[in-house]
Amino acid sequence: MDNKSNPWRKDFPILDQKVNDEDLVYLDNAATTQKPQAVIDAISDFYSNDNANVHRGVHTLAERSTEEFEAAREKIQKFINAESSEEIIYTKGTTDSLNIVARSYGQSNIEAGDEIVISYLEHHSNLVPWQQLAIQKHATLKYIDLTDDGFVDLKDAKKQITDKTKIVSIAHVSNVMGVENPVKEIAKIAHQHGAIMVVDGAQSVPHMPVDVQDLDCDFLAFSGHKMLGPTGIGVLYGKKDLLNAMPPVDFGGEMINFVHLQDTSWTDLPWKFEAGTPNIAGAIVLGKAIDYLNEIGMDKIQSYESELVDYVLPKILAIPDVTVYGPSDPKKHTSVISFNLNGLHPHDLATGLDMEGVAVRAGHHCAQPLMTYLGLSATARASFYLYNTKEDADKLVDAIIATKEFFKDGTI
Amino acid sequence: MALSKMDNLYRQVILDHSAHPHHHGKLDDSTNEIELKNPTCGDVLQLDVKVDDNKITDIAFSGYGCTISQASASMMTDAVMDKTVDQAEDMVEAFSDMILGEKSNTDILEDSAVLKGVSQFPARIKCATLAWKALHKALNKE
Ligand SMILES: Cc1ncc(COP(=O)(O)O)c(C=O)c1O
């Protein structure tokens, strides 16, 4: 499919520009996605027409903004098939969501000698909060091994998760390895041992249908900005019983029931975890992003992306001296493709691609333990979304080959 | 061809230094050592400096990084060899000014002055300055 026949691309004004005199090919969607006009307009609409603080005023604007704010919560609830909108907590993003689980559930449930189990492919935001909790509580942080293809290994999960394990936290889709992990199966194992299952959905929720009841996960974290929405807004889903039993982490306005001079009672879910004036516009506009995604359908987005992977992955693999990380079977590979050109540092590769208008990420992708595990310092990474096309894929492949040629004599 | 814009960044001497770095390795008798990381990309640079009577009498670097950071380290070690600590600090400042596109005394930088082209690639400035930052830190470490 070329750029013109992609039905969604025209909705994203930023894509229509030149970078270094070349047409922009935006392939850094795992870092953040671009926004459709409907989302960009919604920000301006809200501030032009409906802006007021939520849950506070009796005036009409306050009512209107509160209604939209809570309506967006219900959209999110349906989007991930949560049982109730009380289970949807607005946060700043995935990092914030995971920190809330660590600081609230973790602080009150982890004791010395307990185990927290993650994997070698976790993003720092699903690693450092658990590591710090483990240090503080004298608990043990354990890592599940990866298969040769780069998946979190179910066999090893069965070994690492024991009756001492209290928390298991795994990325649903990796931001480096291009794999979808068997989180549903891992959740089963966790539950058999009485542990809770946390899923980092930063890279899955934007790209495929995610059903929290089907996964039977206890918590799910994701970010608005990776799914066409604004930065600074994200979601923590949690099972109601767990959230009800958990203490709040931030204190102040909005989250109280009644404040006395010497003590305070907390308000109900979900507001118990939303102290202070929240990111009102962000939440409402995330709702618009979800409308946009729903209109297309998450099934369709997933199958469109896998078609792109079918097309581009073999082409990248066919370039001599290129190493691709994760599965080489396109059927098993998600639209996040990490690779290296042997003998060339990924920074130099990314600068070359940038000169050709192709935006990719180069670095450790906030996954230094994974880089160490793979014996690398960094990789380049191209990540696709619904507005990318086979034309983009061809430009990426051509740019890799051109950069390889440029550096062919004299590199590291 | 847009890649030709990189000619200014990847001059032949830069590619040569990166492919065959000078003063690469470790010193047995260093007086000042430092390990510096570029946290945004994970690159690591170890720098061993031997200062004798306020003069840099030997220097070596190791670690891993991109073409620009390796070449910059190699050229830096050439440039500061046998210089006094004060001269080296002047060079650190001149290099930083040059890379940020400010007025700079590039004459004292010797080969390193060819990295001036990096100033047009903001995303790569940190790669070029890593070695010079490491030198500054190593010289100011007690
Ligand atoms: C797998 C994964 N987890 C967590 C995060 C953190 O997301 P955020 O920076 O939006 O909090 C990211 C994004 O970089 C990610 O890819």
Side-chain angles (χ1 to χ4, degrees), chain A residues 147-314:
Chain A
T147 65
D148 292 343
D149 266 4
F151 290 83
V152 174
D153 187 3
L154 257 185
K155 270 202 218 105
D156 196 50
K158 285 180 190 144
K159 278 194 218 137
Q160 301 298 337
I161 300 169
T162 71
D163 287 343
K164 284 189 188 162
T165 307
K166 293 282 157 62
I167 299 173
V168 180
S169 191
I170 302 288
H172 193 179
V173 167
S174 165
N175 66 318
V176 181
M177 298 303 281
V179 294
E180 178 191 341
N181 289 313
V183 287
K184 185 174 170 174
E185 289 72 19
I186 298 172
K188 263 195 205 116
I189 302 168
H191 291 151
Q192 280 161 8
H193 291 278
I196 59 145
M197 178 73 189
V198 184
V199 174
D200 171 356
Q203 300 294 347
S204 62
V205 174
H207 298 276
M208 57 192 268
V210 172
D211 179 332
V212 289
Q213 296 189 61
D214 177 57
L215 293 180
D216 196 23
C217 59
D218 297 285
F219 296 96
L220 173 77
F222 57 100
S223 300
H225 70 96
K226 292 185 199 284
M227 50 191 291
L228 312 180
T231 50
I233 187 76
V235 175
L236 172 63
Y237 156 83
K239 280 185 186 161
K240 198 167 153 183
D241 293 349
L242 292 172
L243 289 174
N244 267 327
M246 280 158 56
V249 287
D250 288 326
F251 305 99
E254 210 87 67
M255 50 77 66
I256 49 91
N257 182 26
F258 208 90
V259 180
H260 308 277
L261 285 181
Q262 303 301 339
D263 64 63
T264 294
S265 56
W266 318 130
T267 190
D268 295 333
L269 287 177
W271 306 291
K272 182 171 92 176
F273 290 98
E274 295 176 1
T277 299
N279 184 352
I280 304 167
I284 293 170
V285 175
L286 175 56
K288 299 285 180 203
I290 288 178
D291 289 343
Y292 185 93
L293 292 168
N294 277 336
E295 209 161 296
I296 299 168
M298 294 311 292
D299 281 321
K300 191 157 174 187
I301 291 169
Q302 188 178 26
S303 62
Y304 177 76
E305 284 183 26
S306 68
E307 212 181 290
L308 277 180
V309 176
D310 270 345
Y311 180 79
V312 72
L313 188 60

Side-chain angles (χ1 to χ4, degrees), chain B residues 13-137:
Chain B
V13 295
I14 295 175
L15 296 179
D16 289 347
H17 269 279
S18 164
H20 309 287
H22 306 174
H23 305 109
H24 195 268
K26 299 214 159 263
L27 296 183
D28 294 332
D29 52 354
S30 59
T31 54
N32 306 47
E33 309 95 24
I34 188 111
E35 180 182 282
L36 209 58
K37 292 192 166 100
N38 183 346
T40 51
C41 60
D43 287 356
V44 181
L45 185 82
Q46 278 120 11
L47 190 64
D48 293 355
V49 191
K50 186 178 176 200
V51 179
D52 239 349
D53 201 11
N54 221 26
K55 197 169 151 191
I56 297 171
T57 56
D58 208 354
I59 186 162
F61 79 97
S62 56
Y64 44 82
C66 62
T67 302
I68 302 298
S69 78
Q70 296 297 293
S72 180
S74 171
M75 290 190 276
M76 180 277 287
T77 55
D78 276 356
V80 301
M81 190 71 156
D82 295 328
K83 300 287 190 305
T84 66
V85 169
D86 284 349
Q87 282 173 319
E89 289 285 15
D90 286 346
M91 295 163 84
V92 169
E93 199 178 316
F95 189 85
S96 164
D97 289 345
M98 174 185 82
I99 287 288
L100 294 173
E102 287 163 15
K103 220 168 88 54
S104 153
N105 182 13
T106 51
D107 293 349
I108 61 171
L109 290 175
E110 305 178 8
D111 264 9
S112 290
V114 305
L115 284 163
K116 191 172 174 32
V118 177
S119 64
Q120 282 146 41
F121 294 80
R124 305 304 298 278
I125 286 175
K126 278 193 187 140
C127 313
T129 51
L130 186 65
W132 290 92
K133 273 201 190 122
L135 176 67
H136 175 70
K137 288 215 161 151

